[in-house]
Amino acid sequence: MLMLTGSEIQSYLARLGIPEVQPPSLSYLRELHKAHVEKIPWQTVDIVAGRPAPIDPASSVRLLTTGRSGYCFHLNGAFQALLRSLGYRVSCHRAGVQPLGQEPRINSFHLGLTVTLPDEEEPRWIVDAGLGDMPFEPLPLRSGEYPQGPLRYRVTDSGVAEGGWRLEHDPFASFTGVDVAPEEEKDLSVFVPKHEFYSTSPESPWINLFLVRHRHAEGSNEVRGCIWIRHDSSGVAKTELRTREQWLEVLGDVFGEHLVQYSPLEREELWKRVHGIHEEWKRTRDRTG
């Protein structure tokens, strides 16, 4: 597994807004996790643009330390490398996200992480920077319900993997939950064909779906195409982003996604593509009522 150099660790921590390296502890793990899910969003930007990034940990670390982002394989792949390089005992697991209205599954379309803290009262923790709007802090690998801001999560035994666990999302969230296999994966090779499908196949759910998500202390944000969705203690609010300027402003100011790898012309082309898909979605919605 990849171990980061001192300069790579410093660059990564700078992206997170964390000033210094600390010895492994639950409090530092919480600080790292909260900063990661707030400052580095989950996104399908590069997939929609036809420019998917590879998921080997070294590439993912470079991606994040140069102001970019990705989805679960990039985010958790880089985060596990950072944590391991900081002295944490990290395990990678096959997992599967359950969309609304579908059955639970473990299909290796998600990379799950756990961290073992031998000196803590709760030794194993669920760590996940790759789900977009869950969780904000690490969760103990113990059955129970865990409120974090306005969102409530639940940890239970998995019904599809013996010895595995399930992380259930808030009832008002965009997906139902995640099931995780107990076996530890020694590298990310099992996830490579899944990434290739997600990032290049015409059947991928992300090819034509522009999504950017993140969590913060008071709730979560999502841009889905040209709709900005905010979930906080007052409920859920949706705003249509009608202009390129408004869309870029929300991406940059809310998510820290400044599309740094795209030229002004490429940003314009990306906006036209996303806005065109959005307008077609509105026409279809209006026709079907």
Side-chain angles (χ1 to χ4, degrees), residues 2 4 8 12 15 54 56-69 78:
L2 175 69
L4 307 189
E8 287 173 329
Y12 206 139
R15 177 80 194 273
D56 62 282
S59 296
S60 294
V61 169
R62 285 194 297 273
L63 192 77
L64 303 195
T65 56
T66 55
R68 301 179 63 190
S69 184

Side-chain angles (χ1 to χ4, degrees), residues 53 67 130 274:
V274 173

Side-chain angles (χ1 to χ4, degrees), residues 39-71:
K39 295 182 183 298
I40 308 182
W42 183 102
Q43 52 99 330
T44 63
V45 175
D46 293 345
I47 293 176
V48 173
R51 296 168 53 174
I55 64 167
D56 62 282
S59 296
S60 294
V61 169
R62 285 194 297 273
L63 192 77
L64 303 195
T65 56
T66 55
R68 301 179 63 190
S69 184
Y71 70 129

